[in-house]
């Protein structure tokens, strides 16, 4: 008898209209710091994403905004936010099955608050250790005070950490944070956060285990 090979049938995921699993949310950014809005979505086929600010379409090729989209995640990034970046942002995902949208308000605060006395930076609480499973999101934040808002320098095992599609550094004027998604074993180490303004500087160390 002859053995017939059974063809392997590849099952396509069934079509589905876009659905945001993670929406953008109202956020305040400090002038000169990165602004980043992230979404997570489910859709098939892969949707087209349209970002806008105050109703005006955002172009990812104009050098001001960076737009990224991959595997159900998308982000809008401004390397150094300015007052002009404040406004109502919207992201619309659409494919032949339908569309979904998410919106949020972005405000931009000046580095210095003239109504408050100037003060050197200081961490108001410390974090000793963070443990996370490989492939999951590694994120933590440290509350601080300081006026003007300090410059923030992150390093791991003495080496500076740069922003990347996987790594996001945050500062809203009250907390500094880091988000690495997905995490890798090589992200383990001693993270150091240095805050500096004209009145002084302070640093804090966090042991991270992935």
């Amino acid at each position: 008898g002859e053995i017939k090979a059974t063809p392997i049938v590849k099952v396509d995921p069934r079509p589905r209209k876009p659905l945001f699993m993670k929406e953008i949310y109202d956020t305040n950014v400090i002038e000169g710091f990165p602004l980043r809005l992230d979404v997570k979505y489910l859709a098939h086929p892969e949707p087209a994403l349209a970002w806008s600010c105050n109703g005006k379409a955002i172009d990812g090729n104009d050098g001001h905004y960076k737009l990224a989209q991959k595997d159900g995640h998308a982000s809008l990034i401004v390397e150094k936010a300015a007052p002009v970046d404040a406004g109502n942002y919207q992201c619309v995902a659409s494919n032949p099955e339908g569309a979904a949208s998410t919106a949020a308000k972005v405000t931009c605060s000046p580095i210095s608050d003239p109504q408050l006395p100037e003060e050197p930076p200081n961490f108001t609480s410390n974090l000793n250790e963070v443990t996370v499973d490989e492939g999951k999101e590694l994120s933590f934040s440290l509350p601080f005070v300081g006026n003007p808002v300090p410059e923030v320098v992150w390093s791991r095992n003495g080496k500076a950490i740069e922003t990347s599609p996987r790594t996001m550094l945050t500062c809203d004027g009250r907390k500094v944070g880091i988000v690495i998604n997905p995490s890798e074993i090589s992200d383990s180490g001693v993270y150091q956060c240095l805050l500096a303004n004209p009145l002084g500087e302070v640093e804090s160390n966090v042991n991270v285990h992935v």
Side-chain angles (χ1 to χ4, degrees):
E2 193 184 327
I3 298 170
K4 283 206 166 72
T6 318
I8 294 166
V9 179
K10 193 169 172 233
V11 181
D12 264 346
R14 61 192 175 84
R16 66 171 303 153
K17 73 175 217 173
L19 166 73
F20 282 110
M21 314 287 289
K22 176 182 172 188
E23 305 208 3
I24 55 176
Y25 53 88
D26 292 358
T27 185
N28 178 51
V29 62
I30 305 293
E31 204 175 326
F33 281 84
L35 163 65
R36 180 163 174 158
L37 301 176
D38 285 295
V39 292
K40 217 165 138 181
Y41 57 85
L42 281 176
H44 188 78
E46 182 72 7
L49 293 191
W51 293 86
S52 62
C53 178
N54 296 332
K56 189 167 167 270
I58 286 171
D59 176 1
N61 301 315
D62 65 2
H64 183 69
Y65 296 99
K66 267 197 200 156
L67 299 180
Q69 181 177 354
K70 192 186 175 195
D71 302 338
H73 292 262
S75 42
L76 173 150
I77 301 165
V78 177
E79 290 289 340
K80 291 191 170 182
V84 304
D85 294 310
N88 293 304
Y89 283 76
Q90 189 182 30
C91 178
V92 178
S94 53
N95 69 8
E97 302 299 311
S101 75
T102 174
K105 187 177 179 189
V106 171
T107 49
C108 182
S109 300
I111 284 219
S112 203
D113 186 338
Q115 272 136 21
L116 292 173
E118 293 203 335
E119 61 175 332
N122 214 345
F123 289 102
T124 52
S125 80
N126 280 316
L127 188 63
N128 293 322
E129 292 204 52
V130 175
T131 302
V132 65
D133 292 331
E134 184 185 11
K136 295 273 190 290
E137 178 180 279
L138 160 66
S139 75
F140 59 90
S141 62
L142 300 164
F144 72 93
V145 292
N147 187 28
V149 173
E151 275 188 66
V152 181
V153 179
W154 284 95
S155 57
R156 183 182 68 241
N157 299 336
K159 199 163 169 265
I161 297 173
E162 305 287 337
T163 54
S164 73
R166 207 169 58 88
T167 308
M168 170 179 162
L169 307 177
T170 62
C171 176
D172 65 1
R174 292 185 299 279
K175 292 193 304 290
V176 286
I178 190 163
V179 180
I180 298 177
N181 196 9
S183 61
E184 296 171 359
I185 299 287
S186 60
D187 294 321
S188 300
V190 179
Y191 283 67
Q192 184 186 68
C193 181
L194 172 79
L195 304 183
N197 75 6
L199 286 81
E201 56 181 58
V202 64
E203 62 186 45
S204 182
N205 290 334
V206 180
N207 289 299
V208 171
H209 311 279
V210 177

